[in-house]
Amino acid sequence: QVRLVESGGGSVQTGGSLRLSCWASGPGHVFSSLAMAWFRQAPGKERELTAGISYSGGKTYYLDAVKGRFTISRDNAKNTVYLQMNDLNPEDTAVYYCAAEFMDYDVIPSNMWSAWGRGTQVTVSS
């Protein structure tokens, strides 16, 4: 079982930046088999896939609303995935969750994410 621990949330003003980190427990060869993702859930809304990255890092996915502003990356040597968030706006306010899934192929699953972190709050004020 993979344990995920997020960090880096906080409060910023519109136009600000934050970088979220998600560390995964376990040996390096385990992490390098994991597709990773960031989901977010705003108050009263459903959780949505915000960004995803395949186990090699060669494939990425972004929600249309964050394209050009958010960048997902991973460091397999550190068992860590990052979400760099720039030009934040109040609509980005949400709890951000890290998720992971073992994959046999270097793709990003659309569902079936089996490991989840506890989430980190991001608040953007106008």
Side-chain angles (χ1 to χ4, degrees):
Q1 182 71 19
V2 174
R3 185 170 69 94
L4 304 176
V5 180
E6 302 103 333
S7 62
S11 297
V12 296
Q13 292 188 327
T14 296
S17 297
L18 285 172
R19 189 176 81 154
L20 305 183
S21 299
C22 173
W23 174 80
S25 64
H29 71 273
V30 171
F31 185 76
S32 63
S33 299
L34 296 172
M36 302 294 296
W38 289 96
F39 286 73
R40 68 185 184 183
Q41 187 166 21
K45 295 187 177 181
E46 294 187 354
R47 190 174 299 188
E48 59 184 0
L49 176 59
T50 306
I53 189 166
S54 63
Y55 61 54
S56 74
K59 296 181 177 64
T60 57
Y61 163 85
Y62 295 98
L63 183 70
D64 283 347
V66 307
K67 284 180 180 177
R69 300 188 298 120
F70 289 13
T71 302
I72 189 170
S73 62
R74 64 189 296 155
D75 185 339
N76 285 358
K78 296 183 178 179
N79 282 20
T80 301
V81 64
Y82 304 97
L83 186 66
Q84 178 66 44
M85 305 185 295
N86 297 329
D87 193 21
L88 287 160
N89 59 64
E91 289 68 41
D92 297 315
T93 295
V95 178
Y96 284 71
Y97 297 90
C98 180
E101 180 62 36
F102 285 99
M103 298 298 294
D104 292 327
Y105 301 99
D106 194 30
V107 296
I108 304 165
S110 58
N111 51 25
M112 293 170 46
W113 295 90
S114 58
W116 292 86
R118 292 188 174 184
T120 185
Q121 177 70 47
V122 171
T123 302
V124 185
S125 58
S126 56

